Amino acid sequence: MKLLGEGFYWNDLSVGDTFKTFGRTISETDIVNFVSAVGMLESLFVDAEFRAQHSAIDGRPAPAALVYSIAEGLTLNATGQGTGLAFLQMELNVEGPVLQGDTIHVEIEVTEVRATSKQGRGLVRTKNRIVNQRGETVITYTPLRLMAGRD
């Protein structure tokens, strides 16, 4: 019986494969819960008066760490469910702000696929672009993941 929602196996992927996730709108609740849970109680995120007087960004910004975390949820639920074994490394570049009310999705391109020395496992690197509703790339990151292989 096929397991619904199962992720990709490393040996089913090829360099150049591309995917796009569904979108997710960033809410005030997302921002409040995230900054409270992780202790990121920076005035920019919790003080509307400070933000109005001192911020270089119009609107209520979401921490890049929150945006990246939501992007990982969108990505892994669609690609690594049951097949992802470990997150190993990445480079992350913030290219623009994400504000409360923005909707993001992730565009994924496979850039590296190779077997490991241990049978049944492989390494997969992707270039993930987090894109807002205006088509602007707001964050780019390049995760390297250890993934299960198909028998």
Side-chain angles (χ1 to χ4, degrees), residues 22-76:
F22 282 93
R24 171 79 153 61
T25 302
I26 308 300
S27 70
E28 179 181 21
T29 302
D30 293 328
I31 296 169
V32 170
N33 286 341
F34 183 83
V35 300
S36 297
V38 302
M40 195 179 282
L41 302 172
E42 191 176 330
S43 294
L44 182 63
F45 303 126
V46 300
D47 184 338
E49 294 304 314
F50 176 88
R51 203 168 37 252
Q53 294 176 14
H54 301 288
S55 179
I57 300 167
D58 290 331
R60 185 175 192 157
L66 165 63
V67 176
Y68 157 75
S69 297
I70 289 173
E72 276 291 274
L74 291 170
T75 299
L76 292 175

Side-chain angles (χ1 to χ4, degrees), residues 102-121:
D102 281 354
T103 300
I104 61 166
H105 69 270
V106 186
E107 297 177 3
I108 304 158
E109 178 184 0
V110 178
T111 59
E112 178 183 349
V113 179
R114 61 186 164 94
T116 63
S117 58
K118 188 167 186 172
Q119 181 118 5
R121 297 180 178 182

Side-chain angles (χ1 to χ4, degrees), residues 19-26 67-68 70-75 98 102-108 127-141:
F19 309 96
K20 178 181 174 181
T21 70
F22 282 93
R24 171 79 153 61
T25 302
I26 308 300
V67 176
Y68 157 75
I70 289 173
E72 276 291 274
L74 291 170
T75 299
V98 172
D102 281 354
T103 300
I104 61 166
H105 69 270
V106 186
E107 297 177 3
I108 304 158
K127 179 179 182 182
N128 295 4
R129 293 177 46 239
I130 304 173
V131 179
N132 67 18
Q133 72 276 10
R134 292 177 296 281
E136 302 162 339
T137 299
V138 293
I139 295 176
T140 302
Y141 66 104

